[in-house]
């Protein structure tokens, strides 16, 4: 197990030795800010590329393959293009709210990324209510969507935004109730680092019996809905709403929404990995000591990224498998199926924990 | 880092958007005409304002959501201490969840969850 507090501590000590206290604090803030901003932007670039490439493979075509090797720089070129595009707004829009909307989405996404443990002690904001903080902050994003749709003064945006907020707030219940709370019951803590540490004997997905598996399935479904992806992408249903809530945004302002959407997908996958799949812990197979020993040599962040990529791939797979639902079908699925299932599942999980039937 | 991380991430987010939009404002071309600034409506002239009344059904779901969301907040501290408290906590939460389940069934029976 690689302890990253040694590295961060060493950097801190080195900085303390060459400059006064205030300088250390400012330098560390700048460092963390730059690292997270770079990670944030890079994540957007890679995920958009991956999405298009995977879409290509699912449809028996190549996807982007011209810019750079295997089209890897396609999204970089797209970003440059989006930066240099004219910002066309509308004269009817409420311009203050129109410009304010992207801030909500981007800041909510960034703050959620702060509490994710990427490795042992490798977390920007180690807080004892990490999971609760994550749920709270990620639901602020819906305000951005609602503001964007409302302030554009466009009928498509308006419909998209209202639908989006209906879906997001509805699915948040199952996300919080069944999936996350059921796992908190097992782990007995909300600190994300401690949740990972509690899975050293095995991932909660396997140790939590059937309730954990139900919770995982519900989490993946609700996670897809939370990030506004197909089959729940009524917010921006191309065939009926044009682009939904960001129809009136162009150039880099559109890119903010796009970026936030893809980073949200990463965040949902990261929660799934942290809570169900053992976070940054390596894969261990019982009684295979040699194999386990080799796996221990691979650093935590790499394990974290591998697992997250697999969950992201599943979310992208959904997109090319399920047709889009109607709004009434979406709400029926949540309120008449997922929510009762979540309630019963939570009781089941509490019973399992009370009886101590955990492996 | 302590809770000052929140301030830092807030600043980083604002910084990111301000920098990106100012790059766009500096280098992007600018040309304006009245048609361009119309709200987009399939290419035809937009009719009327978009700030109108919308379907009441969404409002109903929002009200039911509010009740259940408060419930989730109440359940979070319970979930943390459940392991230590054992049977007492289980029975208490069971009563709480059954009452809420009855609430959901009531809303269901009143056709509040029906989309029409």
């Amino acid at each position: 197990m690689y302890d990253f507090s040694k590295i961060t501590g060493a950097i801190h000590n080195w900085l303390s030795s060459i400059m006064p206290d205030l300088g250390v604090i400012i330098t560390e803030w700048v460092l963390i800010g730059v690292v997270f901003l770079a990670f944030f932007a890079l994540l957007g670039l890679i995920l958009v590329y991956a999405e298009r490439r995977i879409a290509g493979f699912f449809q028996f075509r190549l996807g982007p393959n011209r810019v750079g090797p295997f089209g890897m720089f396609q999204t970089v070129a797209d970003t440059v293009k989006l930066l240099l595009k004219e910002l066309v707004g509308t004269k009817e829009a409420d311009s203050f709210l129109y410009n304010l909307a992207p801030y909500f989405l981007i800041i909510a996404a960034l703050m959620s990324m702060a509490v994710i443990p990427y490795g042992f002690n490798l977390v920007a904001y180690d807080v004892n209510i990490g999971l609760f903080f994550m749920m709270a902050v990620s639901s602020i994003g819906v305000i951005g969507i609602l503001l964007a749709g409302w302030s554009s003064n466009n009928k498509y945006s308006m419909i998209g935004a209202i639908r989006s907020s209906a879906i997001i707030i509805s699915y948040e219940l199952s996300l919080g109730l069944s999936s996350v709370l059921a796992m908190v019951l097992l782990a007995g803590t909300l600190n994300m680092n401690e949740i990972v540490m509690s899975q050293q004997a095995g991932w909660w997905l396997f140790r939590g019996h059937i309730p954990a598996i139900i919770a995982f399935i519900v989490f993946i479904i609700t996670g897809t809905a939370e990030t506004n992806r197909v089959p729940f992408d009524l917010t921006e249903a191309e065939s009926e709403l044009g682009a939904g809530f960001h129809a009136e945004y162009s150039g880099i302002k559109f890119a903010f929404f796009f970026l936030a959407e893809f980073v949200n997908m990463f965040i949902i996958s990261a929660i799934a990995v942290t809570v169900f799949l053992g976070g940054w812990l390596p894969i261990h197979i019982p009684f295979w000591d040699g194999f386990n020993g080799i796996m221990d040599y691979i650093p935590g962040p790499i394990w974290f990224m591998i697992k997250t990529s697999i969950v992201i791939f599943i979310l992208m797979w959904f997109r090319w498998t399920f047709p889009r639902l109607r709004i009434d079908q979406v709400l029926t699925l949540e309120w008449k199926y997922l929510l009762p299932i979540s309630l019963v599942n939570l009781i089941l999980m509490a019973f399992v924990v009370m009886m101590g039937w955990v492996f | 880092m302590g809770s000052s991380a929140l301030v830092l991430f807030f600043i980083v987010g604002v910084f990111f958007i301000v920098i990106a939009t100012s790059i766009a404002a500096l280098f992007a071309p600018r040309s304006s005409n009245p048609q361009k600034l119309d709200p987009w409506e399939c290419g035809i002239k937009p009719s009327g304002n978009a700030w109108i009344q919308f379907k009441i059904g969404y409002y109903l779901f929002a009200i039911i959501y509010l009740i259940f969301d408060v419930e989730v907040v109440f359940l979070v501290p319970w979930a943390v201490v459940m392991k230590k408290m054992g049977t007492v906590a289980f029975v208490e939460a069971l009563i709480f969840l059954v009452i809420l389940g009855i609430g959901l069934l009531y809303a269901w029976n009143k056709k509040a969850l029906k989309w029409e």
Side-chain angles (χ1 to χ4, degrees):
Chain A
M1 198 185 297
Y2 295 81
D3 187 353
F4 285 89
S5 62
K6 279 177 194 157
I7 299 172
T8 49
I11 294 172
H12 179 80
N13 290 337
W14 178 69
L15 285 174
S16 313
S17 66
I18 56 169
M19 56 176 83
D21 281 349
L22 190 66
V24 174
I25 291 171
I26 291 171
T27 320
E28 282 177 349
W29 273 43
V30 170
L31 270 178
I32 294 172
V34 167
V35 166
F36 267 87
L37 203 53
F39 183 58
F40 187 70
L42 200 67
L43 208 59
L45 291 181
I46 292 170
L47 285 177
V48 173
Y49 171 72
E51 165 96 14
R52 295 179 65 184
R53 200 75 190 169
I54 287 169
F57 284 126
F58 273 111
Q59 298 176 335
F60 289 109
R61 59 188 172 82
L62 284 171
N65 64 343
R66 295 286 153 175
V67 190
F70 304 105
M72 269 178 204
F73 301 122
Q74 181 67 51
T75 41
V76 179
D78 284 346
T79 312
V80 174
K81 188 194 78 174
L82 282 169
L83 266 174
L84 300 180
K85 281 274 176 186
E86 185 183 353
L87 296 171
V88 185
T90 67
K91 63 176 184 293
E92 317 249 318
D94 184 335
S95 66
F96 174 68
L97 296 181
Y98 178 83
N99 290 321
L100 188 69
Y103 287 89
F104 277 90
L105 283 160
I106 295 283
I107 292 172
L110 263 170
M111 278 193 182
S112 319
M113 275 170 67
V115 290
I116 298 171
Y118 300 94
F120 184 50
N121 280 336
L122 190 65
V123 48
Y125 181 30
D126 193 11
V127 62
N128 55 359
I129 53 160
L131 209 52
F132 186 67
F133 175 83
M134 192 97 125
M135 280 158 62
V137 169
S138 59
S139 58
I140 288 175
V142 71
I143 297 175
I145 291 176
L146 205 53
L147 278 185
W150 175 263
S151 66
S152 296
N153 201 352
N154 178 325
K155 293 175 192 82
Y156 295 119
S157 306
M158 173 82 179
I159 297 170
I162 298 289
R163 278 183 184 176
S164 167
S165 44
I167 294 172
I168 291 183
I169 62 171
S170 300
Y171 277 78
E172 211 173 84
L173 291 176
S174 290
L175 187 89
L177 194 70
S178 156
S179 320
V180 173
L181 274 190
M183 292 298 129
V184 171
L185 278 176
L186 280 175
T189 172
L190 286 166
N191 185 318
M192 306 221 19
N193 242 333
E194 283 172 20
I195 289 174
V196 176
M197 294 302 281
S198 68
Q199 300 181 59
Q200 272 177 325
W203 302 350
W204 285 128
L205 180 61
F206 301 125
R207 280 163 68 201
H209 294 278
I210 296 163
I213 293 167
I214 296 173
F216 185 66
I217 294 168
V218 172
F219 184 90
I220 292 292
I221 296 172
T222 50
T224 321
E226 285 286 298
T227 48
N228 287 324
R229 290 182 61 78
V230 184
F232 305 102
D233 73 331
L234 293 154
T235 335
E236 44 192 289
E238 300 95 345
S239 50
E240 37 188 293
L241 293 183
F245 66 92
H246 53 59
E248 288 298 343
Y249 286 84
S250 64
I252 193 69
K253 285 184 184 167
F254 160 74
F256 294 142
F257 289 100
F258 209 57
L259 185 62
E261 190 186 320
F262 276 90
V263 173
N264 277 335
M265 188 163 78
F266 169 79
I267 290 165
I268 286 289
S269 309
I271 302 176
V273 167
T274 309
V275 175
F276 293 96
L277 302 176
W280 41 263
L281 291 169
I283 291 176
H284 278 178
I285 298 171
F287 312 118
W288 287 25
D289 290 336
F291 176 79
N292 295 347
I294 294 167
M295 288 299 133
D296 281 338
Y297 275 102
I298 302 174
I302 293 178
W303 278 115
F304 180 79
M305 284 300 160
I306 291 171
K307 290 176 189 175
T308 315
S309 311
I310 291 169
V311 180
I312 288 174
F313 178 74
I314 292 172
L315 293 184
M316 288 181 175
W317 192 350
F318 280 179
R319 181 165 182 173
W320 305 105
T321 308
F322 299 115
R324 184 180 297 138
L325 299 172
R326 276 201 321 266
I327 181 74
D328 62 322
Q329 292 168 331
V330 171
L331 291 175
T332 305
L333 174 67
E334 160 64 18
W335 289 98
K336 294 191 180 169
Y337 294 91
L338 293 180
L339 188 60
I341 289 172
S342 307
L343 284 170
V344 173
N345 191 39
L346 190 67
I347 295 172
L348 262 180
M349 182 60 98
F351 189 68
V352 167
V353 171
M354 186 185 70
M355 302 303 280
W357 289 342
V358 182
F359 291 115
Chain B
M1 278 185 96
S3 48
S4 59
L6 296 185
V7 182
L8 171 66
F9 280 87
F10 184 81
I11 294 169
V12 168
V14 172
F15 174 80
F16 176 65
I17 294 186
V18 167
I19 289 291
T21 35
S22 39
I23 289 173
L26 275 178
F27 296 106
R30 240 177 275 173
S31 72
S32 185
N33 65 46
Q35 277 77 40
K36 212 175 186 175
L37 295 177
D38 271 346
W40 176 77
E41 215 168 294
C42 288
I44 57 168
K45 218 171 162 43
S47 63
N49 203 313
W51 294 330
I52 47 172
Q53 293 168 335
F54 55 87
K55 200 173 156 56
I56 191 80
Y58 291 108
Y59 185 69
L60 260 180
F61 278 101
I63 290 177
I64 308 173
Y65 158 77
L66 206 60
I67 300 161
F68 279 88
D69 201 40
V70 171
E71 171 215 342
V72 172
V73 174
F74 280 134
L75 281 174
V76 169
W78 164 75
V80 176
V81 296
M82 167 75 206
K83 231 178 190 172
K84 288 167 211 149
M85 286 183 66
T87 321
V88 182
F90 177 72
V91 173
E92 279 176 355
L94 192 66
I95 294 165
F96 186 59
L97 285 171
V98 164
I99 292 170
L100 274 151
I102 291 168
L104 182 67
L105 284 177
Y106 178 77
W108 197 332
N109 201 29
K110 282 279 178 187
K111 299 198 169 57
L113 305 180
K114 201 163 180 249
W115 191 263
E116 48 196 357

